[in-house]
Amino acid sequence: MKIKNYMEDVVIHLLYTIVKDREDICKCEKCLSDVAAIALNRLKPHYVVSEKGEVYSKVLNMSIQFEADATTAITEAVEIVKKNPRHHRE
Ligand SMILES: [Zn+2]
């Protein structure tokens, strides 16, 4: 089965765009992963059948609403992780 939650691609793509301009937040792998996970848990998954990874570019052009929802979720997740970063606690 070639199905994937295409929200993942949307969130990961937007995440880097959003954090790029933020000087006030940690951008280590752990924090960025936390932000992505929190954002994805807040968003409704959107499963698609993928054909050799072609989904990605289609997805990004597909829905402005997805992007808007994902941007909101990521921005909220960034604030959560900023207040309570987990990178030094293992
Ligand atoms: Zn960090």
Side-chain angles (χ1 to χ4, degrees):
M1 286 243 272
K2 290 184 176 173
I3 60 170
K4 67 174 290 179
N5 176 7
Y6 127 143
M7 265 301 181
E8 284 182 24
D9 283 0
V10 174
V11 165
I12 290 164
H13 174 81
L14 287 173
L15 175 60
Y16 285 104
T17 310
I18 289 168
V19 301
K20 184 166 52 94
D21 300 324
R22 298 279 302 252
E23 300 294 333
D24 59 327
I25 57 172
C26 176
K27 294 166 194 173
C28 76
E29 183 71 26
K30 178 89 178 152
C31 289
L32 291 184
S33 299
D34 277 347
V35 170
I38 291 167
L40 280 165
N41 280 333
R42 291 176 165 222
L43 291 161
K44 273 208 295 195
H46 188 88
Y47 284 93
V48 292
V49 176
S50 71
E51 309 271 342
K52 295 178 188 167
E54 286 165 16
V55 180
Y56 179 70
S57 52
K58 266 187 221 160
V59 167
L60 290 180
N61 292 331
M62 200 173 110
S63 173
I64 289 168
Q65 189 59 48
F66 273 179
E67 268 196 56
D69 291 348
T71 300
T72 302
I74 292 164
T75 305
E76 288 169 6
V78 160
E79 295 308 317
I80 291 168
V81 172
K82 183 184 163 184
K83 282 184 197 133
N84 191 18
R86 301 194 304 152
H87 46 205
H88 298 308
R89 271 190 245 160
E90 287 296 337

XYZ file of all heavy atoms in Angstrom:
725
model
N 0.834 -1.205 0.000
C 0.000 0.000 0.000
C 0.866 1.252 0.000
O 1.786 1.353 0.802
C -0.867 0.015 1.268
C -1.980 -0.991 1.181
S -3.558 -0.180 1.212
C -3.795 -0.108 2.987
N 0.563 2.142 -0.868
C 1.338 3.384 -0.913
C 0.462 4.536 -0.472
O 0.003 5.333 -1.277
C 1.853 3.623 -2.323
C 2.921 2.650 -2.714
C 3.463 2.986 -4.084
C 4.608 2.045 -4.423
N 5.061 2.227 -5.803
N 0.233 4.558 0.814
C -0.529 5.696 1.304
C 0.315 6.474 2.288
O 1.182 5.932 2.954
C -1.850 5.271 2.003
C -1.563 4.363 3.190
C -2.783 4.621 1.010
C -2.771 4.101 4.056
N 0.064 7.756 2.317
C 0.788 8.566 3.298
C -0.062 9.750 3.723
O -0.955 10.183 3.003
C 2.130 9.026 2.752
C 2.029 9.997 1.599
C 3.399 10.504 1.219
C 3.939 11.419 2.311
N 5.276 11.934 2.007
N 0.261 10.218 4.897
C -0.414 11.412 5.404
C 0.308 12.614 4.834
O 1.413 12.942 5.222
C -0.351 11.431 6.934
C -0.960 12.697 7.511
O -1.548 13.500 6.785
N -0.824 12.855 8.800
N -0.354 13.257 3.934
C 0.302 14.300 3.194
C 0.437 15.592 3.960
O 1.217 16.457 3.635
C -0.420 14.339 1.901
C -1.025 15.445 1.254
C -0.935 15.481 -0.136
C -1.715 16.424 1.902
C -1.540 16.476 -0.822
C -2.313 17.423 1.202
C -2.216 17.454 -0.159
O -2.785 18.446 -0.850
N -0.280 15.635 5.062
C -0.088 16.739 5.998
C 1.364 16.776 6.501
O 1.893 17.824 6.805
C -1.007 16.579 7.213
C -2.295 17.341 7.096
S -2.010 19.123 6.888
C -3.697 19.672 6.830
N 1.979 15.589 6.581
C 3.365 15.537 7.045
C 4.265 16.380 6.142
O 5.098 17.132 6.619
C 3.886 14.092 7.045
C 3.374 13.269 8.193
C 3.952 11.853 8.168
O 5.041 11.662 7.580
O 3.304 10.959 8.717
N 4.109 16.201 4.859
C 4.925 16.970 3.913
C 4.641 18.461 4.023
O 5.543 19.287 3.960
C 4.650 16.511 2.475
C 5.343 15.186 2.164
O 6.019 14.647 3.063
O 5.203 14.700 1.037
N 3.359 18.777 4.158
C 2.975 20.188 4.256
C 3.593 20.808 5.507
O 4.205 21.883 5.455
C 1.433 20.333 4.298
C 1.027 21.785 4.536
C 0.822 19.821 3.002
N 3.462 20.099 6.635
C 3.963 20.629 7.908
C 5.483 20.749 7.896
O 6.044 21.769 8.298
C 3.489 19.751 9.093
C 4.297 20.050 10.363
C 2.003 19.989 9.346
N 6.170 19.733 7.404
C 7.634 19.778 7.399
C 8.127 20.912 6.500
O 9.027 21.662 6.860
C 8.209 18.413 6.964
C 7.955 17.386 8.072
C 9.707 18.526 6.676
C 8.109 15.940 7.628
N 7.505 21.050 5.364
C 7.889 22.126 4.450
C 7.669 23.505 5.081
O 8.560 24.355 5.084
C 7.077 22.005 3.155
C 7.291 23.143 2.207
N 8.379 23.210 1.366
C 6.577 24.271 1.990
C 8.305 24.337 0.663
N 7.230 24.988 1.020
N 6.492 23.699 5.640
C 6.156 25.005 6.223
C 6.961 25.288 7.483
O 7.310 26.438 7.760
C 4.662 25.064 6.550
C 3.725 25.183 5.356
C 2.287 25.061 5.817
C 3.927 26.504 4.634
N 7.262 24.227 8.225
C 8.012 24.387 9.466
C 9.330 25.112 9.216
O 9.658 26.075 9.902
C 8.270 22.995 10.065
C 9.149 22.929 11.305
C 8.564 23.721 12.447
C 9.334 21.485 11.730
N 10.064 24.650 8.206
C 11.357 25.278 7.932
C 11.187 26.727 7.479
O 12.001 27.587 7.815
C 12.145 24.452 6.906
C 12.708 23.195 7.533
C 12.134 21.953 7.304
C 13.802 23.271 8.394
C 12.642 20.808 7.910
C 14.315 22.141 9.008
C 13.734 20.903 8.758
O 14.230 19.785 9.366
N 10.141 26.990 6.737
C 9.882 28.357 6.301
C 9.570 29.258 7.492
O 10.047 30.392 7.576
C 8.679 28.373 5.329
O 8.888 27.385 4.321
C 8.514 29.734 4.683
N 8.801 28.723 8.411
C 8.372 29.521 9.562
C 9.525 29.766 10.538
O 9.742 30.891 10.981
C 7.176 28.843 10.276
C 5.924 28.944 9.401
C 6.921 29.488 11.644
C 4.769 28.080 9.857
N 10.288 28.705 10.855
C 11.338 28.888 11.863
C 12.564 29.633 11.326
O 13.329 30.193 12.096
C 11.803 27.548 12.500
C 10.639 26.840 13.160
C 12.477 26.655 11.481
N 12.704 29.648 10.018
C 13.829 30.327 9.387
C 13.961 31.784 9.873
O 15.053 32.274 10.108
C 13.621 30.292 7.867
C 14.733 30.859 7.039
C 14.567 30.464 5.574
C 13.187 30.778 5.035
N 12.972 32.014 4.361
N 12.849 32.442 10.010
C 12.867 33.856 10.377
C 12.754 34.105 11.881
O 12.674 35.244 12.305
C 11.712 34.583 9.670
C 11.841 34.479 8.160
O 12.980 34.501 7.661
O 10.807 34.369 7.485
N 12.705 33.027 12.645
C 12.572 33.204 14.095
C 13.936 33.103 14.765
O 14.583 32.083 14.706
C 11.640 32.123 14.666
C 10.217 32.177 14.112
C 9.383 33.227 14.804
N 9.301 33.032 16.220
C 8.196 32.603 16.867
N 7.106 32.310 16.206
N 8.202 32.499 18.172
N 14.320 34.183 15.413
C 15.608 34.187 16.105
C 15.463 33.686 17.543
O 16.433 33.388 18.211
C 16.179 35.616 16.146
C 16.419 36.240 14.782
C 17.505 35.519 13.992
O 18.390 34.919 14.619
O 17.434 35.538 12.753
N 14.244 33.634 18.009
C 14.011 33.402 19.441
C 13.780 31.941 19.813
O 13.491 31.632 20.954
C 12.802 34.228 19.890
C 11.544 33.867 19.097
O 11.668 33.527 17.904
O 10.455 33.910 19.677
N 13.865 31.066 18.835
C 13.565 29.673 19.157
C 14.713 28.750 18.798
O 15.501 29.039 17.889
C 12.276 29.196 18.449
C 12.403 29.386 16.939
C 11.052 29.907 19.012
C 11.276 28.763 16.157
N 14.777 27.641 19.506
C 15.803 26.640 19.250
C 15.431 25.862 17.985
O 14.278 25.525 17.766
C 15.897 25.691 20.440
S 17.059 24.347 20.161
N 16.423 25.612 17.162
C 16.153 24.898 15.910
C 16.890 23.571 15.842
O 17.246 23.095 14.765
C 16.535 25.783 14.721
C 15.637 27.008 14.624
C 16.197 28.048 13.686
C 15.485 29.365 13.878
N 16.102 30.440 13.112
N 17.154 22.998 17.004
C 17.813 21.689 16.985
C 16.813 20.631 16.492
O 15.602 20.853 16.480
C 18.385 21.328 18.360
S 17.167 20.788 19.570
N 17.361 19.512 16.118
C 16.555 18.423 15.572
C 15.401 18.032 16.504
O 14.265 17.831 16.084
C 17.480 17.223 15.346
C 16.816 16.019 14.717
C 16.476 16.241 13.259
O 17.144 17.059 12.612
O 15.521 15.600 12.779
N 15.735 17.968 17.789
C 14.753 17.549 18.793
C 13.577 18.534 18.870
O 12.417 18.130 18.863
C 15.457 17.452 20.150
C 14.557 17.071 21.288
C 14.486 15.570 21.430
C 13.603 15.194 22.610
N 12.991 13.885 22.381
N 13.892 19.805 18.939
C 12.843 20.817 19.054
C 11.999 20.878 17.782
O 10.771 20.982 17.845
C 13.446 22.181 19.372
S 14.083 22.283 21.059
N 12.653 20.823 16.634
C 11.893 20.878 15.386
C 11.007 19.647 15.229
O 9.871 19.740 14.738
C 12.838 21.024 14.184
C 13.568 22.366 14.070
C 14.386 22.408 12.792
C 12.612 23.539 14.123
N 11.508 18.501 15.672
C 10.689 17.282 15.613
C 9.483 17.404 16.541
O 8.374 16.987 16.197
C 11.512 16.062 16.016
O 12.593 15.894 15.145
N 9.719 17.972 17.713
C 8.615 18.179 18.655
C 7.554 19.105 18.064
O 6.356 18.838 18.173
C 9.138 18.782 19.968
C 9.691 17.732 20.917
O 9.457 16.530 20.670
O 10.345 18.101 21.895
N 8.010 20.176 17.461
C 7.071 21.125 16.852
C 6.245 20.430 15.770
O 5.013 20.546 15.735
C 7.810 22.343 16.242
C 6.853 23.195 15.413
C 8.439 23.189 17.347
N 6.917 19.664 14.922
C 6.215 18.967 13.843
C 5.206 17.971 14.406
O 4.066 17.891 13.926
C 7.219 18.245 12.940
N 5.601 17.240 15.457
C 4.704 16.233 16.037
C 3.487 16.888 16.678
O 2.350 16.427 16.488
C 5.463 15.397 17.066
N 3.720 17.958 17.414
C 2.602 18.650 18.070
C 1.652 19.217 17.011
O 0.439 19.077 17.104
C 3.120 19.778 18.992
C 3.848 19.168 20.190
C 1.966 20.668 19.464
C 4.675 20.179 20.994
N 2.217 19.841 16.007
C 1.392 20.431 14.945
C 0.578 19.343 14.238
O -0.631 19.508 14.002
C 2.262 21.177 13.946
N 1.233 18.224 13.928
C 0.539 17.153 13.206
C -0.570 16.531 14.056
O -1.604 16.120 13.528
C 1.530 16.083 12.750
C 2.300 16.464 11.485
C 3.501 15.553 11.283
C 1.382 16.402 10.259
N -0.371 16.475 15.355
C -1.421 15.932 16.226
C -2.630 16.853 16.303
O -3.732 16.422 16.619
C -0.868 15.688 17.637
C -0.077 14.397 17.705
O -0.312 13.470 16.935
N 0.856 14.331 18.632
N -2.418 18.109 16.029
C -3.518 19.063 16.087
C -4.274 19.165 14.765
O -5.377 19.699 14.709
C -2.973 20.449 16.429
C -2.476 20.509 17.835
C -1.863 21.846 18.124
N -1.748 21.947 19.574
C -2.043 23.050 20.255
N -2.445 24.136 19.640
N -1.927 23.063 21.549
N -3.627 18.692 13.723
C -4.248 18.791 12.400
C -4.926 17.483 12.029
O -4.487 16.413 12.439
C -3.171 19.103 11.365
C -2.560 20.500 11.462
C -1.215 20.538 10.737
C -3.497 21.527 10.878
N -5.955 17.597 11.259
C -6.565 16.373 10.755
C -5.642 15.757 9.718
O -5.137 16.449 8.839
C -7.912 16.682 10.089
C -9.057 16.701 11.062
C -10.369 16.321 10.378
C -10.774 17.341 9.338
N -12.181 17.197 8.922
N -5.407 14.459 9.808
C -4.567 13.831 8.793
C -5.270 13.851 7.442
O -6.495 13.909 7.369
C -4.400 12.401 9.290
C -5.516 12.169 10.230
C -5.903 13.498 10.794
N -4.484 13.840 6.417
C -5.062 13.811 5.074
C -4.299 12.783 4.265
O -3.208 13.049 3.757
C -4.967 15.193 4.429
C -5.719 15.268 3.136
N -7.047 15.596 3.072
C -5.321 15.028 1.868
C -7.433 15.554 1.798
N -6.409 15.209 1.053
N -4.879 11.617 4.178
C -4.173 10.518 3.509
C -4.407 10.539 2.015
O -5.511 10.797 1.541
C -4.587 9.171 4.104
C -3.919 8.964 5.435
C -4.546 9.334 6.603
C -2.628 8.460 5.489
C -3.920 9.191 7.832
C -1.977 8.312 6.706
C -2.635 8.678 7.871
O -1.993 8.546 9.063
N -3.322 10.270 1.318
C -3.391 10.200 -0.138
C -2.638 8.961 -0.590
O -1.808 8.431 0.135
C -2.758 11.437 -0.807
C -3.584 12.683 -0.540
C -1.319 11.626 -0.332
N -2.950 8.537 -1.773
C -2.188 7.451 -2.382
C -1.030 8.093 -3.123
O -1.232 8.970 -3.954
C -3.065 6.651 -3.364
C -2.237 5.589 -4.061
C -4.237 6.036 -2.635
N 0.171 7.693 -2.753
C 1.324 8.364 -3.353
C 1.911 7.534 -4.477
O 1.976 6.319 -4.413
C 2.384 8.649 -2.292
O 2.988 7.439 -1.886
N 2.334 8.215 -5.493
C 3.003 7.589 -6.618
C 4.415 8.119 -6.650
O 4.666 9.232 -7.061
C 2.311 7.967 -7.930
C 0.815 7.758 -7.943
C 0.443 6.355 -8.394
O 1.311 5.713 -9.002
O -0.685 5.940 -8.132
N 5.345 7.318 -6.169
C 6.758 7.676 -6.252
C 7.076 9.095 -5.799
O 7.803 9.823 -6.473
C 7.248 7.515 -7.695
C 7.224 6.090 -8.177
C 7.685 6.023 -9.621
C 7.479 4.646 -10.198
N 7.632 4.611 -11.646
N 6.504 9.474 -4.687
C 6.887 10.759 -4.115
C 6.459 11.987 -4.885
O 6.928 13.081 -4.642
N 5.560 11.791 -5.823
C 5.124 12.951 -6.606
C 4.092 13.780 -5.875
O 3.707 14.852 -6.301
C 4.503 12.503 -7.935
C 5.520 12.029 -8.939
C 4.853 11.267 -10.071
O 3.635 11.391 -10.212
O 5.569 10.548 -10.782
N 3.636 13.228 -4.779
C 2.561 13.883 -4.034
C 2.940 15.290 -3.611
O 2.162 16.213 -3.721
C 2.233 13.062 -2.771
C 1.118 13.736 -1.991
C 1.822 11.656 -3.160
N 4.166 15.400 -3.150
C 4.611 16.614 -2.484
C 4.288 17.919 -3.224
O 3.604 18.781 -2.696
C 6.108 16.519 -2.231
C 6.675 17.731 -1.579
C 6.371 18.025 -0.263
C 7.502 18.589 -2.275
C 6.875 19.142 0.346
C 8.020 19.700 -1.673
C 7.715 19.986 -0.362
O 8.218 21.091 0.216
N 4.757 18.039 -4.448
C 4.556 19.308 -5.142
C 3.081 19.553 -5.434
O 2.593 20.671 -5.354
C 5.363 19.335 -6.440
O 5.083 18.186 -7.188
N 2.393 18.475 -5.743
C 0.954 18.604 -5.976
C 0.261 19.138 -4.741
O -0.562 20.035 -4.801
C 0.350 17.229 -6.268
C 0.243 16.876 -7.723
C -0.537 15.565 -7.860
C 0.078 14.678 -8.903
N -0.310 13.280 -8.749
N 0.627 18.552 -3.627
C 0.008 18.909 -2.375
C 0.143 20.377 -2.077
O -0.793 21.046 -1.682
C 0.655 18.120 -1.217
C 0.248 18.707 0.118
C 0.269 16.678 -1.303
N 1.348 20.864 -2.256
C 1.588 22.248 -1.874
C 0.798 23.218 -2.735
O 0.434 24.293 -2.296
C 3.076 22.560 -1.944
C 3.898 21.859 -0.858
C 5.353 22.224 -0.997
C 3.399 22.222 0.521
N 0.508 22.809 -3.938
C -0.289 23.684 -4.794
C -1.781 23.478 -4.565
O -2.597 24.263 -5.003
C 0.004 23.397 -6.269
C 1.408 23.797 -6.634
O 1.961 24.708 -6.034
N 1.977 23.117 -7.597
N -2.087 22.392 -3.916
C -3.461 21.959 -3.893
C -4.378 22.786 -3.019
O -5.470 23.129 -3.414
C -3.504 20.507 -3.426
C -4.768 19.813 -3.808
S -4.635 18.056 -3.400
C -5.765 17.929 -2.075
N -3.936 23.085 -1.833
C -4.896 23.713 -0.946
C -4.309 24.810 -0.081
O -3.460 24.580 0.761
C -5.538 22.661 -0.056
O -6.343 23.294 0.912
N -4.790 25.990 -0.308
C -4.386 27.124 0.507
C -4.924 26.961 1.920
O -4.290 27.350 2.888
C -4.888 28.437 -0.131
C -4.065 28.712 -1.398
C -4.770 29.606 0.836
C -4.624 29.808 -2.265
N -6.074 26.311 2.022
C -6.652 26.093 3.349
C -5.760 25.177 4.196
O -5.560 25.430 5.379
C -8.062 25.504 3.223
C -8.814 25.447 4.551
C -8.959 26.822 5.189
O -9.341 27.784 4.535
N -8.638 26.929 6.474
N -5.223 24.132 3.576
C -4.273 23.259 4.286
C -3.121 24.078 4.825
O -2.706 23.930 5.958
C -3.671 22.220 3.329
C -4.482 20.975 3.200
C -4.054 19.965 2.358
C -5.651 20.791 3.909
C -4.772 18.799 2.219
C -6.384 19.628 3.782
C -5.944 18.634 2.928
N -2.584 24.900 3.968
C -1.432 25.695 4.364
C -1.767 26.632 5.506
O -0.986 26.797 6.432
C -0.924 26.518 3.183
C 0.138 25.805 2.400
C 0.894 26.746 1.486
O 1.446 27.756 1.964
O 0.927 26.456 0.288
N -2.939 27.233 5.432
C -3.357 28.164 6.482
C -3.538 27.432 7.806
O -3.062 27.887 8.852
C -4.656 28.865 6.075
N -4.195 26.283 7.766
C -4.404 25.490 8.982
C -3.075 25.013 9.545
O -2.843 25.051 10.749
C -5.278 24.259 8.685
C -6.718 24.644 8.367
O -7.087 25.813 8.604
O -7.456 23.784 7.881
N -2.195 24.557 8.666
C -0.908 24.042 9.101
C -0.058 25.163 9.696
O 0.611 24.969 10.710
C -0.178 23.372 7.937
N -0.101 26.326 9.096
C 0.674 27.460 9.601
C 0.232 27.828 11.012
O 1.055 28.060 11.897
C 0.522 28.678 8.659
O 1.009 28.311 7.370
C 1.306 29.872 9.167
N -1.072 27.836 11.240
C -1.603 28.130 12.578
C -1.133 27.084 13.582
O -0.661 27.420 14.670
C -3.150 28.143 12.542
O -3.563 29.112 11.581
C -3.725 28.512 13.898
N -1.252 25.821 13.220
C -0.865 24.732 14.123
C 0.634 24.777 14.432
O 1.055 24.572 15.575
C -1.239 23.384 13.514
N 1.440 25.069 13.423
C 2.893 25.125 13.628
C 3.254 26.293 14.533
O 4.076 26.173 15.443
C 3.636 25.244 12.277
C 3.475 23.953 11.474
C 5.119 25.543 12.497
C 3.833 24.102 9.999
N 2.626 27.431 14.296
C 2.915 28.616 15.107
C 2.581 28.357 16.573
O 3.343 28.728 17.472
C 2.119 29.828 14.577
O 2.426 29.985 13.184
C 2.493 31.097 15.309
N 1.463 27.685 16.819
C 1.094 27.332 18.199
C 2.080 26.334 18.785
O 2.485 26.439 19.945
C -0.330 26.758 18.238
C -1.389 27.826 18.008
C -2.787 27.237 17.784
O -2.954 26.006 17.926
O -3.700 28.010 17.481
N 2.468 25.366 17.978
C 3.409 24.338 18.444
C 4.770 24.953 18.767
O 5.422 24.553 19.733
C 3.548 23.245 17.380
N 5.181 25.930 17.976
C 6.454 26.614 18.219
C 6.437 27.258 19.606
O 7.414 27.172 20.360
C 6.711 27.686 17.125
C 7.731 28.722 17.582
C 7.180 27.034 15.836
N 5.333 27.872 19.956
C 5.227 28.528 21.269
C 5.284 27.509 22.405
O 5.889 27.754 23.447
C 3.932 29.346 21.360
C 3.871 30.518 20.392
C 5.101 31.429 20.482
O 5.547 31.740 21.603
O 5.637 31.810 19.427
N 4.640 26.374 22.208
C 4.636 25.321 23.231
C 6.057 24.807 23.464
O 6.517 24.694 24.596
C 3.703 24.160 22.802
C 2.244 24.623 22.847
C 3.903 22.944 23.723
C 1.279 23.653 22.165
N 6.759 24.519 22.381
C 8.113 23.976 22.500
C 9.074 25.039 23.040
O 9.978 24.743 23.816
C 8.601 23.425 21.147
C 10.071 23.027 21.195
C 7.747 22.235 20.743
N 8.848 26.271 22.661
C 9.697 27.363 23.137
C 9.610 27.480 24.666
O 10.604 27.685 25.352
C 9.229 28.670 22.484
C 10.060 29.884 22.832
C 9.449 31.125 22.208
C 10.004 32.377 22.865
N 9.345 33.589 22.346
N 8.404 27.336 25.187
C 8.213 27.436 26.635
C 8.733 26.223 27.380
O 9.062 26.296 28.544
C 6.715 27.585 26.957
C 6.200 28.988 26.716
C 4.737 29.100 27.151
C 4.094 30.341 26.548
N 2.781 30.033 25.959
N 8.753 25.095 26.691
C 9.119 23.866 27.381
C 9.976 22.964 26.484
O 9.552 21.884 26.094
C 7.833 23.149 27.815
C 8.132 22.003 28.756
O 9.218 21.934 29.348
N 7.190 21.096 28.883
N 11.183 23.439 26.153
C 12.030 22.637 25.258
C 12.500 21.360 25.954
O 12.748 21.375 27.162
C 13.215 23.562 24.960
C 13.237 24.547 26.066
C 11.838 24.661 26.594
N 12.606 20.297 25.204
C 12.964 19.015 25.801
C 14.367 18.555 25.430
O 14.787 17.467 25.776
C 11.954 17.949 25.353
C 10.530 18.305 25.762
C 9.619 17.121 25.617
N 9.633 16.568 24.282
C 9.390 15.296 23.992
N 9.122 14.449 24.955
N 9.411 14.866 22.752
N 15.090 19.404 24.712
C 16.370 18.964 24.141
C 17.448 18.592 25.156
O 18.349 17.858 24.821
C 16.907 19.987 23.132
C 16.845 21.395 23.596
N 16.786 22.452 22.734
C 16.790 21.913 24.839
C 16.711 23.575 23.433
N 16.709 23.260 24.698
N 17.397 19.161 26.360
C 18.437 18.823 27.324
C 17.987 17.805 28.357
O 18.658 17.538 29.316
C 18.941 20.080 28.032
C 19.571 21.042 27.082
N 20.564 20.672 26.208
C 19.325 22.343 26.836
C 20.915 21.731 25.472
N 20.171 22.739 25.821
N 16.802 17.292 28.146
C 16.260 16.325 29.092
C 16.084 14.987 28.422
O 15.175 14.816 27.620
C 14.861 16.793 29.528
C 14.847 17.699 30.712
C 13.420 17.840 31.133
N 12.955 19.215 30.965
C 11.678 19.537 30.888
N 10.747 18.614 30.914
N 11.310 20.786 30.758
N 16.899 14.072 28.713
C 16.716 12.745 28.102
C 16.505 11.718 29.187
O 17.045 11.838 30.257
C 17.927 12.367 27.259
C 17.998 13.151 25.959
C 16.814 12.858 25.011
O 16.203 11.789 25.147
O 16.520 13.711 24.176
Zn 16.382 22.437 20.934
